[in-house]
Amino acid sequence: MDNVILKTALKTLLAVIIAFILALLILCFGFPATTADLCQSFGNYSLAETFSSLNYKYYGNIDDLYNCANYSILAKNDNKIIENCKAFSEDEGFEAYCAENDGLEHRIFSNLASAQYRKGDKEGALATVKKSFEGVTDFPAGNAAVSLTVEIGKAKDRQSAAALKEFLDGKNLTPSDGQQLIYDNVIKVLQDLINNQV
């Protein structure tokens, strides 16, 4: 009698486990956007990025490409930041998407340039800064030059400081009153690095 009860209990438990696994697989691969939202709500940004990437492969929606970039940034995964921010910034809908989301373009380029620099791609990081300033005449908040200056300062990288300062000087930017202090600080940090004073 005890064996029958035990076997029935084990079969029931096995059926519940199989049903749970099947439901999880259906949720993950049938509804990756929902799964990404669920992962994000639990703070698992790496997994959220994975499912957003899967949803992007299914539907090609730029919202999912943005989510991939955003979750990579939140997860602080430099390899994924480079992969996803680059893909997002090169998408044909990028400019229109950023036009509807104030400051987003600079956030993407800032994180991309910083991640490229941290991974040793100094030329790529500077190229990203240059791309972010195409058509820009002022010094927007949170721009890529600021974030790259922070990384260059941490590394005490005189050569990169000189290259970035040369670019900024050549742009002849006219920062607004609210931007002038940040611009001046960036130039000072870069000049101090060049002069080996930091």
Side-chain angles (χ1 to χ4, degrees), residues 139 145-146 149 168 182-191:
F139 202 68
V146 174
T149 299
L168 291 174
I182 296 168
Y183 177 79
D184 291 343
N185 285 337
V186 164
I187 295 300
K188 183 181 186 309
V189 167
L190 294 173
Q191 190 62 59

Side-chain angles (χ1 to χ4, degrees), residues 29-50:
F29 296 102
F31 306 96
T34 303
T35 309
D37 290 342
L38 190 62
C39 292
Q40 184 269 337
S41 68
F42 286 112
N44 192 334
Y45 302 117
S46 295
L47 211 49
E49 183 276 332
T50 300

Side-chain angles (χ1 to χ4, degrees), residues 1-195:
M1 182 71 174
D2 287 343
N3 282 343
V4 173
I5 293 171
L6 184 60
K7 284 181 183 178
T8 304
L10 288 174
K11 285 180 183 178
T12 304
L13 181 61
L14 184 60
V16 169
I17 291 171
I18 290 171
F20 177 75
I21 291 170
L22 285 173
L24 196 58
L25 288 172
I26 290 167
L27 178 65
C28 291
F29 296 102
F31 306 96
T34 303
T35 309
D37 290 342
L38 190 62
C39 292
Q40 184 269 337
S41 68
F42 286 112
N44 192 334
Y45 302 117
S46 295
L47 211 49
E49 183 276 332
T50 300
F51 288 111
S52 291
S53 179
L54 183 62
N55 207 58
Y56 178 70
K57 286 174 186 165
Y58 285 173
Y59 303 108
N61 190 323
I62 195 169
D63 285 323
D64 294 315
L65 196 52
Y66 160 70
N67 286 336
C68 289
N70 187 45
Y71 292 144
S72 299
I73 292 165
L74 292 171
K76 299 179 181 176
N77 183 330
D78 283 340
N79 290 328
K80 287 292 185 179
I81 289 170
I82 293 167
E83 176 188 335
N84 291 315
C85 287
K86 201 165 198 179
F88 182 45
S89 68
E90 291 172 355
D91 188 271
E92 61 184 22
F94 177 69
E95 287 185 20
Y97 195 91
C98 289
E100 296 177 6
N101 298 277
D102 191 41
L104 178 59
E105 183 175 2
H106 294 295
R107 179 171 183 255
I108 294 299
F109 282 129
S110 289
N111 282 282
L112 176 56
S114 295
Q116 287 172 313
Y117 187 86
R118 287 191 297 265
K119 295 302 287 185
D121 184 8
K122 296 177 182 181
E123 289 180 10
L126 185 58
T128 296
V129 172
K130 289 178 179 179
K131 184 177 179 182
S132 75
F133 274 90
E134 288 175 3
V136 175
T137 57
D138 59 352
F139 202 68
N143 69 67
V146 174
S147 61
L148 185 56
T149 299
V150 170
E151 297 300 330
I152 290 170
K154 287 179 191 173
K156 301 191 185 315
D157 181 355
R158 184 180 183 190
Q159 186 177 358
S160 295
L164 181 56
K165 185 173 184 300
E166 182 183 359
F167 165 71
L168 291 174
D169 288 343
K171 282 292 289 181
N172 294 317
L173 299 169
T174 52
S176 68
D177 290 342
Q179 300 166 346
Q180 190 66 52
L181 182 61
I182 296 168
Y183 177 79
D184 291 343
N185 285 337
V186 164
I187 295 300
K188 183 181 186 309
V189 167
L190 294 173
Q191 190 62 59
D192 286 349
L193 284 165
I194 294 165
N195 297 337

